[in-house]
Amino acid sequence: MTSYVSSTRTRVAIVGGGPAGLALSRLLSVAGVDSVVIDNRTHHEIETTHRAGILERDSVRLLLDAGVSDRVLRDGHEHQGIDLRFGGVSHRIDFQKLVGASCWLYPQTDVFLDLHAARIRDGGDLRYGISDAAVTDHREAPRVTYSDANGAHHEITAELVVGADGSRSICRDLVDNPQRYFREYPFAWFGILAEAPPSAPELIYTRSPHGFALISQRTPTVQRMYFQCAPTENPADWSDDRIWAELQRRLAGSDGFALKEGPIIQKSVLPFRSFVQSPMRDGNLLLAGDAAHTVPPTGAKGLNLALADVRVLADVIERALLKNDDDALDSYTTRALERVWKAQHFSYWMTTMLHRIPDTTDFDELRQLGELTTLVSSEAGSTYLAEGYTGWPHH
Ligand code: DHB
């Protein structure tokens, strides 16, 4: 028999203390529902992992409505549009004019820090740096066990368990006989952080004959950029000079745009795939965010989709636990997956419209340019992009 140095009873045990798990525990706390959050990563590991940097309008609203922080409005940057660049010329998509909405440049690591600080402020039970997490009996009497940094065993019993444990989820495998939908892409992204001033006030999504590139930002002195590469690419093979030469040739054009260079302080290759698991619930276990779905990064939907799941999940959990509404949990998968598949399509569409498919044909290249030309010259086309990018309303 394992002996436990602590045994905690709570209403919701949340496996995963990234933005999805923390946002859920915050919304539940505001509604008066106790939770315990565990994560095998340390706070430092999460804080120093670079992720995407764009928040949809309703992701910002969630942080504000939940009283997490208004730092996003003070330190983040409102972007009222993006540039689509192809044929060596940039075309602005004006979100405000098309749909009356903006998005915010605010890195995921800052979202994590704000949520963490909010939970510490309201007395949240957050346990980082644990190992050997296991969930048992999730249909009858859910129990989560784990070891702490000293190897001592702990136990949490709960009414519900939420798997917000990311793309390497352990909770996902507890769903009985799930459907799993995958799509692989024959490329990846090479991501860098560079010490340089911004080259443009907003993001530039670029399609070039040499492949995709994205010019994003972080601070007035640090910029984030990505370019399409082979999935097998090794960052160590890329000197700063080689990276800048590659980015420069993808951004080259006739409209006077100049990409500003500087020392590169971080390099990594990002995985690239689409994945959905359905259902997102089994008994008293519910999944949120990357544990249930992954999108390719083009369009920055990953974090936004996780926060949208959490908004629905907080609602169904509150109805189930506070109003004894037995049907509430049943509705979760259908409600969450509707948006998941819209975002899957949006991310797939942005990806295939802007990336170079290896061994592509002249037909496909010219068709891709035809699509981009239609998009930037049609209000209907631009409006679809603006609506999807700034995010469909949460409900
Ligand atoms: C960023 C990442 C994305 O995938 C994207 O579409 C836009 C911005 C970023 O990290 O800044």
Side-chain angles (χ1 to χ4, degrees):
M1 274 290 281
T2 310
S3 65
Y4 295 101
V5 296
S6 81
S7 182
T8 310
R9 175 92 196 137
T10 188
R11 300 206 81 176
V12 184
I14 302 176
V15 184
L22 288 179
L24 179 67
S25 86
R26 171 68 188 183
L27 291 178
L28 293 178
S29 153
V30 170
V33 176
D34 285 345
S35 64
V36 176
V37 175
I38 62 165
D39 198 300
N40 53 19
R41 298 164 299 175
T42 62
H43 181 280
H44 181 74
E45 275 164 6
I46 302 177
E47 183 189 13
T48 51
T49 305
H50 298 289
R51 305 292 293 265
I54 290 288
L55 294 182
E56 293 176 357
R57 174 189 43 188
D58 277 6
S59 297
V60 171
R61 213 171 264 167
L62 186 152
L63 296 178
L64 300 175
D65 289 353
V68 171
S69 165
D70 61 359
R71 200 161 70 92
V72 56
L73 299 183
R74 286 183 282 118
D75 297 351
H77 295 272
E78 178 181 355
H79 284 192
Q80 300 192 348
I82 55 167
D83 274 359
L84 285 184
R85 185 170 176 84
F86 57 94
V89 177
S90 291
H91 305 261
R92 184 158 189 268
I93 307 291
D94 187 331
F95 299 155
Q96 274 297 336
K97 198 170 102 216
L98 293 161
V99 293
S102 297
C103 56
W104 268 259
L105 182 92
Y106 192 66
Q108 177 162 333
T109 41
D110 287 291
V111 175
F112 166 74
L113 290 172
D114 290 352
L115 285 163
H116 187 271
R119 285 304 279 133
I120 295 296
R121 251 191 344 259
D122 63 18
D125 187 341
L126 313 177
R127 308 177 188 182
Y128 287 89
I130 60 100
S131 53
D132 304 324
V135 177
T136 48
D137 211 5
H138 68 273
R139 297 207 183 93
E140 299 297 328
R143 208 165 68 101
V144 179
T145 54
Y146 67 88
S147 308
D148 67 21
N150 302 318
H153 303 295
H154 299 259
E155 171 188 61
I156 302 163
T157 55
E159 286 157 76
L160 297 172
V161 176
V162 171
D165 51 343
S167 55
R168 282 184 230 110
S169 173
I170 58 156
C171 295
R172 173 201 292 158
D173 294 332
L174 297 171
V175 174
D176 188 36
N177 204 17
Q179 299 277 345
R180 288 184 171 157
Y181 306 90
F182 287 100
R183 190 182 206 286
E184 302 288 337
Y185 297 82
F187 39 74
W189 276 9
F190 197 112
I192 64 162
L193 281 174
E195 284 175 348
S199 297
E202 293 170 344
L203 271 53
I204 309 173
Y205 286 82
T206 309
R207 181 252 179 229
S208 91
H210 309 292
F212 171 80
L214 169 60
I215 308 304
S216 182
Q217 307 153 351
R218 282 297 176 266
T219 70
T221 54
V222 175
Q223 310 312 317
R224 182 79 165 142
M225 301 176 202
Y226 304 93
F227 59 94
Q228 175 184 351
C229 67
T232 51
E233 209 61 74
N234 179 0
D237 294 338
W238 287 77
S239 66
D240 284 18
D241 286 350
R242 187 176 172 207
I243 290 171
W244 287 121
E246 191 58 45
L247 280 166
Q248 290 289 5
R249 80 176 177 138
R250 295 189 191 193
L251 271 297
S254 56
D255 60 354
F257 172 76
L259 181 64
K260 299 196 174 119
E261 302 184 7
I264 295 174
I265 52 178
Q266 199 261 340
K267 304 174 191 176
S268 58
V269 171
L270 284 73
F272 217 97
R273 67 188 187 128
S274 305
F275 165 68
V276 178
Q277 170 164 314
S278 177
M280 289 169 65
R281 172 202 171 207
D282 185 308
N284 296 316
L285 170 80
L286 303 113
L287 303 175
D290 283 359
H293 43 73
T294 309
V295 289
T298 330
K301 284 279 166 268
L303 169 62
N304 292 295
L305 203 47
L307 294 176
D309 280 355
V310 161
R311 182 85 94 170
V312 177
L313 192 48
D315 177 57
V316 300
I317 290 177
E318 282 165 39
R319 279 169 40 207
L321 296 187
L322 301 178
K323 302 194 178 122
N324 297 321
D325 176 350
D326 293 337
D327 299 330
L329 299 183
D330 287 340
S331 68
Y332 177 56
T333 293
T334 310
R335 284 178 64 188
L337 279 187
E338 183 183 315
R339 188 188 190 89
V340 168
W341 281 111
K342 284 165 76 172
Q344 285 291 356
H345 172 68
F346 185 80
S347 307
Y348 163 93
W349 171 71
M350 287 277 285
T351 298
T352 50
M353 183 168 68
L354 291 163
H355 286 68
R356 186 184 158 81
I357 313 295
D359 304 319
T360 190
T361 61
D362 290 348
F363 176 87
D364 283 330
E365 294 241 343
L366 292 167
R367 186 206 57 75
Q368 202 179 42
L369 284 169
E371 182 175 15
L372 284 161
T373 309
T374 311
L375 186 80
V376 299
S377 59
S378 148
E379 190 167 322
S382 304
T383 303
Y384 171 70
L385 174 61
E387 202 176 70
Y389 198 98
T390 55
W392 308 284
H394 284 184
H395 45 229

